[in-house]
Amino acid sequence: MSNAPTIGFVSLGCPKNLVDSERILTELRTEGYQIVPRYDGADLVIVNTCGFIEGAVQESLEAIGEALAENGKVIVTGCLGAKENQIREVHPKVLEITGPHSYEQVLAHVHTYAPKPEYHPFTSLVPAQGVKLTPKHYAYLKISEGCNHRCTFCIIPSMRGDLESRPVGSVLDEAKRLAEAGVKELLVISQDTSAYGVDVKHRTGFWNGQPVKSDMVSLCEQLATLGVWVRLHYVYPYPHVDDVIPLMAAGKVLPYLDIPLQHASPKVLKAMKRPGSVERTLERIKRWREICPQLTLRSTFIVGFPGETEEDFEMLLEFLREARLDRVGCFKYSPVEGAAANDLDDQVPEEVKEERFHRFMQLQQQISAERLQEKVGMTLPVIIDEVDEEGAIGRSMADAPEIDGVVYLNEERGVKPGDVVPVLIENADEYDLWGSVVR
């Protein structure tokens, strides 16, 4: 459709934002618009922004500025769009601004500045699974929007609202379409995955003519029937998370839990408005590993939170030593406009944050290296992500794309992306594994 309007598109931020981008692009393609990988010459540019931390805000503002400089006709959406005044102060020439998951508004603005093309269903076919920005073999499955928590370091509820769960039948229909389209791994995401269905009192929905309860455990049981890897992200540690571990032990869901614990000091957790009994958390981790020995635990932590003392930080390091988590991310606390933590006393100096960050990462690298060394000699299933002249790169069940480690298969060219193959692990470092395909 050479006469169809062209839309340039930029997607920034987390996987949840990526799913929003996929939905907007799917609607645009369905209406007949052409999506182009450039600003220059496009009829309109859409920038889907992130506004979670100061670094993301600056990246978003720079991307908007670049689009304005190269094109001039720019619509902004996403999390930073919830702060329209902040964008207008820097970039007053932006055409329109909307907040996150404002799909209908975005489309309405596109129609204003680049009128809908004449629709030709046979020349503008869109796949049943919609437009995807991930490789063909894995996809993100967003099950809800928003969050009911009010963590003092976070402004997500002010941007995305309270928890709003998708109907369970709709989620499972999408998952089935993705599996039928060749997706081998579903990454379940939301702001708070384990709270799925709380807002609708876990009411019973229907899928494939069967009743299905709207909760995380029931959802996982149904996803397990699709014959693909199911990986759980952003799992708040509610008690019912214990009920998912047997599903992992049975091979129904990947033995992988992404639980953002944030800290281990009761005082800091209270200031963050996070739950947290370190002893109880350690007990649960021990019990989970007894039920499912192959379980991989990923978490994120914040160092330098206002009021964090050296004693608090030592509690965090001691927790790491005892919990021996497999995958850990660490962030230095940074003020976010609108976050309650900005007003807390005893802000930690930047040089102290930096020093604690390096001590934290040094300890965790040692733990990670030891955990990975235990896998040398094992044969693990590995999903292949890419193949080039040097060989293949894949991921084990313990590795989520883009945030965890990889498995290098040097000089291996007899596989293709999406293949799941048995790999003998021969070497390891702090983050990655090396091995060869078992034939």
Side-chain angles (χ1 to χ4, degrees):
M1 293 177 61
S2 57
N3 62 336
T6 54
I7 308 293
F9 202 100
V10 187
S11 184
L12 303 171
C14 66
K16 296 177 283 292
N17 224 33
L18 189 77
V19 173
D20 291 347
S21 294
E22 291 173 341
R23 180 166 174 181
I24 294 168
L25 288 171
T26 298
E27 295 293 339
L28 291 171
R29 283 282 306 276
T30 300
E31 292 184 352
Y33 289 92
Q34 288 190 65
I35 310 302
V36 294
R38 63 185 185 277
Y39 301 136
D40 185 35
D43 292 301
L44 193 64
V45 175
I46 300 173
V47 182
N48 191 5
T49 60
C50 178
F52 183 54
I53 58 175
E54 187 57 34
V57 170
Q58 291 307 314
E59 182 186 16
S60 295
L61 290 173
E62 288 170 12
I64 295 166
E66 185 181 341
L68 283 168
E70 294 191 26
N71 185 284
K73 293 168 287 186
V74 178
I75 289 174
V76 174
T77 188
C79 287
L80 188 59
K83 301 178 179 179
E84 180 169 353
N85 291 340
Q86 186 174 357
I87 296 172
R88 294 272 181 213
E89 282 178 15
V90 183
H91 300 301
K93 294 184 179 180
V94 167
L95 296 175
E96 303 286 352
I97 299 173
T98 64
H101 55 93
S102 303
Y103 316 113
E104 292 80 7
Q105 282 181 278
V106 173
L107 291 169
H109 293 324
V110 171
H111 299 158
T112 299
Y113 298 100
K116 285 170 66 171
E118 184 181 350
Y119 180 63
H120 296 287
F122 296 109
T123 58
S124 343
L125 293 175
V126 177
Q129 72 274 18
V131 175
K132 291 293 166 189
L133 300 177
T134 49
K136 183 179 177 183
H137 59 282
Y138 69 81
Y140 293 102
L141 180 68
K142 185 157 68 169
I143 63 174
S144 65
E145 275 292 355
C147 182
N148 289 342
H149 296 289
R150 295 297 182 265
C151 302
T152 56
F153 56 82
C154 181
I155 56 172
I156 290 294
S158 67
M159 294 189 290
R160 289 183 174 262
D162 289 337
L163 178 73
E164 186 177 332
S165 301
R166 291 178 57 193
V168 67
S170 172
V171 173
L172 291 168
D173 281 342
E174 180 182 352
K176 185 180 180 183
R177 287 194 301 271
L178 290 167
E180 289 174 345
V183 166
K184 302 290 184 66
E185 178 180 9
L186 291 171
L187 300 113
V188 179
I189 59 170
S190 67
Q191 260 71 47
D192 183 358
T193 294
S194 40
Y196 177 70
V198 165
D199 55 315
V200 293
K201 297 181 172 56
H202 300 303
R203 70 179 172 220
T204 299
F206 286 87
W207 185 61
N208 280 354
Q210 299 292 322
V212 181
K213 196 175 178 183
S214 300
D215 63 41
M216 184 178 70
V217 177
S218 300
L219 180 64
C220 287
E221 287 173 339
Q222 296 303 317
L223 290 173
T225 66
L226 298 176
V228 300
W229 283 14
V230 177
R231 189 182 301 277
L232 301 178
H233 285 282
Y234 316 115
V235 179
Y236 206 82
Y238 301 118
H240 67 260
V241 172
D242 295 355
D243 299 331
V244 179
I245 307 302
L247 298 180
M248 295 178 174
K252 295 183 176 182
V253 177
L254 289 187
Y256 179 101
L257 263 187
D258 175 5
I259 298 186
L261 296 171
Q262 307 302 2
H263 214 280
S265 159
K267 186 191 83 179
V268 175
L269 287 167
K270 184 177 180 181
M272 290 178 168
K273 289 196 175 177
R274 301 279 298 185
S277 162
V278 175
E279 292 77 14
R280 197 175 304 134
T281 301
L282 289 170
E283 287 171 9
R284 292 178 77 192
I285 289 173
K286 180 182 178 184
R287 190 164 65 250
W288 292 344
R289 285 173 169 159
E290 288 171 352
I291 297 168
C292 183
Q294 66 271 41
L295 177 65
T296 294
L297 290 172
R298 150 167 275 284
S299 191
T300 51
F301 296 89
I302 297 172
V303 297
F305 190 78
E308 181 192 64
T309 63
E310 182 63 23
E311 183 183 3
D312 294 320
F313 180 66
E314 283 294 341
M315 285 185 188
L316 177 54
L317 295 184
E318 185 56 33
F319 175 82
L320 286 184
R321 295 185 189 100
E322 291 194 45
R324 296 183 61 78
L325 304 175
D326 302 89
R327 303 294 194 189
V328 171
C330 181
F331 299 91
K332 289 173 284 187
Y333 171 77
S334 64
V336 179
E337 186 181 348
N342 298 346
D343 301 324
L344 294 176
D345 295 330
D346 301 322
Q347 297 284 327
V348 178
E350 287 302 320
E351 61 271 20
V352 176
K353 293 180 190 176
E354 186 73 18
E355 187 265 345
R356 288 177 183 171
F357 172 81
H358 286 292
R359 283 164 62 196
F360 179 102
M361 290 308 299
Q362 190 173 16
L363 173 59
Q364 182 53 38
Q365 282 178 353
Q366 177 187 336
I367 293 168
S368 177
E370 291 168 358
R371 297 287 289 168
L372 289 179
Q373 197 63 39
E374 294 169 5
K375 298 185 179 186
V376 174
M378 293 183 177
T379 298
L380 304 176
V382 169
I383 188 166
I384 304 300
D385 282 338
E386 56 182 288
V387 182
D388 58 24
E389 64 277 2
E390 295 181 9
I393 300 175
R395 290 174 292 107
S396 73
M397 290 182 175
D399 305 307
E402 299 187 2
I403 59 172
D404 293 328
V406 296
V407 182
Y408 290 102
L409 307 172
N410 294 340
E411 301 182 9
E412 174 61 65
R413 296 180 189 84
V415 293
K416 61 183 185 297
D419 286 350
V420 178
V421 294
V423 172
L424 174 64
I425 303 303
E426 299 161 336
N427 205 351
D429 66 9
E430 293 91 345
Y431 300 111
D432 303 314
L433 300 170
W434 282 259
S436 55
V437 176
V438 177
R439 291 188 168 88

